[in-house]
Amino acid sequence: MPGKNLSRDEAQQRASVLTVDSYRVHLDVTSAPDPAAATFRSTTTIAFRCTEPGASVFVDLLAPAVRAVTLNGRPLDPATAYDGARVHVDGLAAQNVLTVEADCAYSRTGEGLHRFTDPADGETYLYTHYEPADARRVFATFEQPDLKAPFGFTVTAPAAWDVWSNAAHERVTPDGTARTWEFAPTKPISTYLTAVVAGPYHVVRDHYSRTLDDGTVLDIPLSAMCRRSLAPHFDADEILGVTKLGLDFFHERFAYPYPFGKYDQAFVPEYNIGAMENPGCVTFREEFVYRSKVTDAAYEGRANVVLHEMAHMWFGDLVTMRWWDDLWLKESFADFMGSYGLVGAGTRYQGAWVTFANQRKAWAYRQDQFPTTHPITADIRDLEDAKLNFDGITYAKGASVLKQLVAYAGSEAFFEGARRYFQRHAFGNTELADLLDILEETSGRDLRSWAASWLQTAGVNTLTPQLTADAEGRITELAVLQDGGVLRPHRIAVGLYDRDADGALVRTARFELDVTGARTVVAEAVGRTRPALVLLNDDDLTYCKIRFDEESLETLRTGLGEIRDDLARALAWSAVWNLTRDALMPARDYVALVLRFAGQEANIGVLQSLHAQAKGAVDVYADPAWRGEGGRLLADGALRELRAAAPGSDHQLAWARFLAQTANGSEHLGLVRGLLAGTARIDGLEVDQELRWALWLALAAAGHATGEELAGELAADNTASGRRQHTQCLAARPTPEAKAAAWSAVIDSDELPNALVEASIAGFAVPAHRDLTALYAAPYFKLLERIWAERTIEIAMRIVGGFFPQAQVDEATLAEADGWLAGHPDAAPALRRLVLERRDDLARALRAQACDRA
């Protein structure tokens, strides 16, 4: 498979003959502050060995121009050696030195070396992001995870800038208007993990020290950085505090000293993902620097990401998967460790498993029910497959399965296995079998059958209680029924709940057992009084969807919000949402539950999930004939709870944002405008800048905001965040002109940076504007292959997923999607996967609407 899309077979062949000894990379980014400068100079020297002298090999590089290629002192003609994606070299020796000089492009898509100019002060910032394979946009590389090597970076940058990379800098040499930063060689790492961050960043420094078991002291310099204009909002002490707790915790659990020297954390603009685990130089999206008030759920989410990336220093950086098939060997572990660490490290976020059960697993359940679902250990044929597998299966399902493994094998056996894994495979690459061998040693269990069921098969099981009782109301049998494709072994807890003297639903009994096969009897339950609620998978030990017997479901309809335990209540909320998505509960019934009980929900993260799901239920799953009424009910409920919420509380802020999302009548929109103008007031509610934009978006989507008003708000907030939100508001206006402008800005040009592409699509796709966006369904299907061919995969994925006519929930749109899939069997598999998943969402919505209508 030639070109950009490296195949697994090509990578395996290359790894079979090559060993890479070192990289030396020199980047000259002194041109970066000049917006007219499109490229920077990149010089790469690779020392490598070849077991087949005389062989040919290719080096990956995506660059506008290659100036020179030299192999073992022999110059090669770039015109023939470079094909636009690969540098081909032949006549290899046993020991080789290859130098490639190229002009590489600054990025505006978040892939490669991204350049951003701050509208607030005109300063320019750079950072790299590569996963899975964009280091080749910055330097010549063997772009696959199993060809690890030490990297030595040298960066020449404007004199006023600072520069960071994976290792500490050894010297900085001034040269007029520039300075050259030379960094120490790294430990052996994969190409996608290398990093450069450069610019006039605001920096906060600290350090962490720990006495190791051998008596030596491990000292880790720490830093956290953001753009200068964000410095007034940067709570670096909070971030560094979580960092230190995490380093303590992971050292205790892993018993392997942090291997990468320093620990920098850069919060960077226009970042495509949450964060990236570059060893020694972690990058985060700067939206984690909160300009305005956010709920505690946002702080918990950020702390989770900090610990997730830190876990990668061991799972992923120290020990790396051989190829992207085993991506889960790092992402599932890091996702699990994020929540496990928040609780175990003693952070203030002790409800992390509630958030995991309610939010992360919802992502996994959705992904695992697509026709494109895949095993946790996936079949990754090429880089495009790899890009799409950073999904709910690899992250959240994998983390859920690891939680099940800890319950199955035992916590100490699991962590002893991790310790041996790091010792044996440090700075190497592994596959599934390498981990299983060690975990079998430590647990004494046969994990091959467990892995075959959990890691090598796809799909989610459903567990349903089957309960019978005698005339006196005593249980004669309680069984757990399992269905859903491959039947797996589940270690679960079954909770029985009844009302206490205060009327709350509390657990009165708990049974822990192994569920195997289609039917498992809970013997200990026999003879007990039939409870008000049977909750399967209590404590959320396994990965499954749960159902309820009729009496339990009726208890939830009348008392879901009265379940006292936060995790049990979150599991119940998750279960009724799955019932709604599976067309087993009418959308209006789910909305009624939210309106009845969300005001009682203590957990702010769960509450915010309920808001998003209730909005989705009305917009997508409800009968269109009831949609208007459902929308009014949500807006009325939001207004009622906003006025009832404690002044200044997180709940008040969450309800204010929900009102902005649902406002649709004169009373709601009048209050929104009054809050913006200062003529209306809710006691304790601060209408700060981020909330102002949320309120403006409500008015814009309703057609109640003029272009002049939106321009005035941008003038008052001429920042990167302000520009994103202004762009979304413009696209969200309910006019043909606004939709045409947003569509054209994204489709007809590649000038928009990634952040504004995302904002334009979000504004265009307001569900209430389905009549306006219906006109774009036919053009959408006609341009798919062109967009996939012409844009970078990151931008193409956003366009394909974001512009899919999801709001047109009708048979005609489903037929258009089916027609495209049938007519394009040879389209790129990754493109077909995206369309097929959006098509499946559409079919699910039609089934849910039929349920709601009935």
Side-chain angles (χ1 to χ4, degrees):
M1 186 182 299
K4 299 178 183 179
N5 195 11
L6 176 73
S7 73
R8 176 177 54 203
D9 290 344
E10 288 177 313
Q12 289 173 343
Q13 194 282 326
R14 190 162 61 176
S16 71
V17 298
L18 297 186
T19 300
V20 185
D21 295 315
S22 69
Y23 283 82
R24 296 198 311 276
V25 179
H26 184 191
L27 307 178
D28 185 339
V29 296
T30 52
S31 64
D34 178 5
T39 62
F40 58 94
R41 183 69 63 85
S42 168
T43 303
T44 308
T45 299
I46 314 173
F48 63 97
R49 286 167 278 157
C50 178
T51 60
E52 298 180 5
S56 301
V57 74
F58 63 89
V59 178
D60 303 286
L61 179 65
L62 298 176
V66 172
R67 292 172 174 260
V69 180
T70 305
L71 175 66
N72 299 329
R74 171 169 57 98
L76 306 179
D77 182 1
T80 55
Y82 182 55
D83 65 7
R86 297 173 175 184
V87 178
H88 300 269
V89 296
D90 54 17
L92 294 179
Q95 303 275 348
N96 301 275
V97 177
L98 174 70
T99 299
V100 179
E101 299 177 41
D103 293 330
C104 294
Y106 293 111
S107 167
R108 291 309 309 275
T109 67
E111 300 153 293
L113 182 63
H114 188 83
R115 176 171 61 178
F116 172 84
T117 299
D118 191 340
D121 58 16
E123 296 284 6
T124 297
Y125 295 87
L126 302 178
Y127 64 86
T128 57
H129 179 70
Y130 300 147
E131 192 175 39
D134 283 316
R136 55 189 172 154
R137 297 181 184 276
V138 177
F139 57 93
T141 166
F142 295 115
E143 190 78 285
Q144 57 192 79
D146 58 341
L147 288 178
K148 286 186 166 183
F151 285 79
F153 282 94
T154 301
V155 180
T156 302
W161 286 15
D162 289 325
V163 182
W164 293 263
S165 187
N166 303 93
H169 66 268
E170 292 185 318
R171 64 187 61 85
V172 181
T173 306
D175 182 12
T177 60
R179 289 193 294 173
T180 295
W181 297 67
E182 296 177 61
F183 294 90
T186 69
K187 299 287 189 179
I189 58 176
S190 300
T191 56
Y192 77 92
L193 291 168
T194 59
V196 170
V197 174
Y201 284 89
H202 166 75
V203 189
V204 177
R205 292 183 171 84
D206 203 338
H207 77 280
Y208 168 88
S209 62
R210 179 182 183 85
T211 302
L212 302 177
D213 291 342
D214 63 3
T216 61
V217 175
L218 177 70
D219 191 77
I220 304 173
L222 307 177
S223 77
M225 65 204 78
C226 68
R227 288 185 291 124
R228 285 180 181 174
S229 64
L230 282 177
H233 311 289
F234 194 34
D235 54 338
D237 289 347
E238 167 75 13
I239 293 163
L240 293 170
V242 171
T243 301
K244 292 176 183 179
L245 289 173
L247 287 169
D248 265 340
F249 181 73
F250 288 131
H251 277 106
E252 290 164 6
R253 289 297 185 276
F254 297 159
Y256 191 106
Y258 172 72
F260 298 111
K262 65 185 179 64
Y263 201 85
D264 300 324
Q265 295 175 98
F267 293 77
V268 298
E270 297 183 332
Y271 206 48
N272 284 328
I273 60 174
M276 181 63 205
E277 67 269 18
N278 315 305
C281 189
V282 184
T283 41
F284 297 80
R285 66 186 299 117
E286 70 176 16
E287 284 78 3
F288 286 128
V289 180
Y290 303 121
R291 299 195 311 155
S292 297
K293 181 179 179 180
V294 296
T295 69
D296 208 46
Y299 289 102
E300 179 189 318
R302 183 180 69 184
N304 186 299
V305 174
V306 168
L307 296 188
H308 174 119
E309 303 310 323
M310 186 180 293
H312 273 311
M313 299 298 131
W314 290 266
F315 284 111
D317 295 359
L318 177 65
V319 184
T320 312
M321 71 273 157
R322 191 172 308 284
W323 177 249
W324 301 101
D325 306 69
D326 283 306
L327 175 64
W328 78 281
L329 279 173
K330 71 184 189 76
E331 294 302 349
S332 297
F333 280 85
D335 216 49
F336 170 76
M337 289 295 171
S339 297
Y340 189 89
L342 283 180
V343 176
T347 73
R348 64 187 180 90
Y349 308 108
Q350 293 299 295
W353 287 120
V354 176
T355 305
F356 181 84
N358 186 256
Q359 295 179 11
R360 299 300 284 181
K361 292 181 84 170
W363 180 27
Y365 295 143
R366 176 175 181 265
Q367 190 79 45
D368 211 9
Q369 293 175 88
F370 282 141
T372 57
T373 189
H374 58 85
I376 293 170
T377 299
D379 179 24
I380 303 300
R381 296 160 296 185
D382 52 49
L383 291 178
E384 287 191 359
D385 277 359
K387 183 71 173 177
L388 267 65
N389 259 46
F390 290 82
D391 62 13
I393 304 296
T394 302
Y395 283 73
K397 180 180 179 180
S400 304
V401 167
L402 288 178
K403 190 177 184 187
Q404 169 74 176
L405 177 60
V406 171
Y408 181 71
S411 176
E412 183 47 44
F414 176 82
F415 282 103
E416 176 58 27
R419 291 188 280 271
R420 296 185 190 182
Y421 180 71
F422 300 139
Q423 290 289 344
R424 287 184 199 174
H425 299 289
F427 303 108
N429 297 85
T430 58
E431 298 172 344
L432 168 64
D434 299 310
L435 179 66
L436 292 182
D437 287 344
I438 292 172
L439 288 176
E440 286 182 337
E441 288 176 17
T442 59
S443 70
R445 286 184 176 261
D446 175 11
L447 293 179
R448 304 291 159 160
S449 58
W450 178 90
S453 295
W454 279 107
L455 302 177
Q456 297 171 318
T457 61
V460 56
N461 297 124
T462 301
L463 303 184
T464 304
Q466 186 181 65
L467 187 150
T468 58
D470 60 21
E472 284 75 38
R474 296 197 174 275
I475 297 173
T476 56
E477 185 180 66
L478 174 59
V480 179
L481 308 183
Q482 178 182 187
D483 61 26
V486 176
L487 301 185
R488 301 180 175 93
H490 297 264
R491 184 69 180 174
I492 71 166
V494 177
L496 307 185
Y497 287 76
D498 273 305
R499 295 191 181 275
D500 66 7
D502 299 324
L505 283 164
V506 298
R507 187 163 67 190
T508 56
R510 179 186 185 275
F511 314 111
E512 192 166 318
L513 68 152
D514 291 322
V515 169
T516 57
R519 192 172 191 272
T520 303
V521 173
V522 187
E524 300 94 323
V526 174
R528 290 183 173 271
T529 302
R530 178 173 188 146
L533 170 65
V534 177
L535 183 62
L536 301 185
N537 196 31
D538 206 359
D539 296 324
D540 198 34
L541 299 182
T542 194
Y543 171 79
C544 68
K545 293 191 297 183
I546 59 172
R547 305 296 196 213
F548 302 99
D549 62 279
E550 279 304 316
E551 186 167 322
S552 295
L553 191 55
E554 185 56 33
T555 296
L556 294 179
R557 289 191 180 100
T558 58
L560 191 158
E562 292 150 14
I563 300 173
R564 180 171 292 167
D565 180 75
D566 283 357
L567 180 55
R569 194 171 61 253
L571 292 170
W573 278 120
S574 175
V576 295
W577 175 239
N578 281 323
L579 288 172
T580 306
R581 294 191 73 249
D582 292 344
L584 297 174
M585 174 179 281
R588 68 190 71 196
D589 287 5
Y590 178 79
V591 170
L593 280 171
V594 172
L595 290 172
R596 181 168 185 177
F597 296 118
Q600 300 171 226
E601 180 52 55
N603 186 289
I604 188 64
V606 172
L607 176 63
Q608 290 175 290
S609 292
L610 296 179
H611 287 163
Q613 290 164 355
K615 181 83 163 54
V618 169
D619 288 340
V620 181
Y621 296 152
D623 177 10
W626 184 77
R627 192 181 287 142
E629 180 183 348
R632 287 189 294 274
L633 288 171
L634 288 183
D636 287 343
L639 182 56
R640 179 179 65 252
E641 296 296 344
L642 171 60
R643 288 174 169 156
S649 66
D650 280 2
H651 285 66
Q652 183 188 59
L653 178 59
W655 285 110
R657 289 189 167 277
F658 192 48
L659 176 65
Q661 294 164 18
T662 57
N664 56 35
S666 58
E667 179 184 9
H668 316 122
L669 293 169
L671 176 60
V672 165
R673 184 165 284 280
L675 289 170
L676 282 167
T679 57
R681 187 172 179 272
I682 302 290
D683 186 30
L685 181 67
E686 180 186 355
V687 183
D688 55 26
Q689 188 58 64
E690 294 299 317
L691 182 54
R692 287 186 65 83
W693 279 118
L695 298 173
W696 276 118
L697 182 60
L699 293 179
H704 288 222
T706 67
E708 291 75 14
E709 287 176 316
L710 296 174
E713 190 68 25
L714 177 61
D717 182 32
N718 189 22
T719 63
S721 179
R723 289 192 175 184
R724 286 195 306 273
Q725 297 186 80
H726 177 255
T727 297
Q728 183 174 350
C729 286
L730 290 179
R733 293 173 297 170
T735 67
E737 295 79 11
K739 301 306 177 188
W743 175 273
S744 178
V746 173
I747 297 298
D748 298 334
S749 169
D750 61 359
E751 292 300 312
L752 281 186
N754 53 339
L756 297 189
V757 167
E758 185 175 40
S760 297
I761 293 173
F764 175 92
V766 173
H769 300 167
R770 53 185 56 84
D771 290 343
L772 288 167
T773 56
L775 304 173
Y776 295 87
Y780 167 86
F781 288 107
K782 290 178 182 177
L783 60 78
L784 285 175
E785 287 186 295
R786 175 175 69 82
I787 290 295
W788 197 259
E790 293 178 358
R791 303 299 180 90
T792 67
I793 190 170
E794 184 70 41
I795 298 300
M797 286 170 59
R798 294 184 187 209
I799 293 172
V800 172
F803 276 140
F804 185 92
Q806 196 67 50
Q808 274 64 56
V809 184
D810 54 41
E811 295 291 346
T813 307
L814 191 67
E816 283 194 272
D818 286 338
W820 186 89
L821 288 163
H824 297 79
D826 298 323
L831 171 59
R832 285 182 55 83
R833 172 178 167 174
L834 287 171
V835 175
L836 187 56
E837 289 178 354
R838 298 292 78 73
R839 183 263 179 215
D840 191 70
D841 279 336
L842 195 60
R844 179 179 290 275
L846 285 169
R847 294 193 296 271
Q849 288 186 3
C851 171
D852 192 60
R853 190 158 47 245

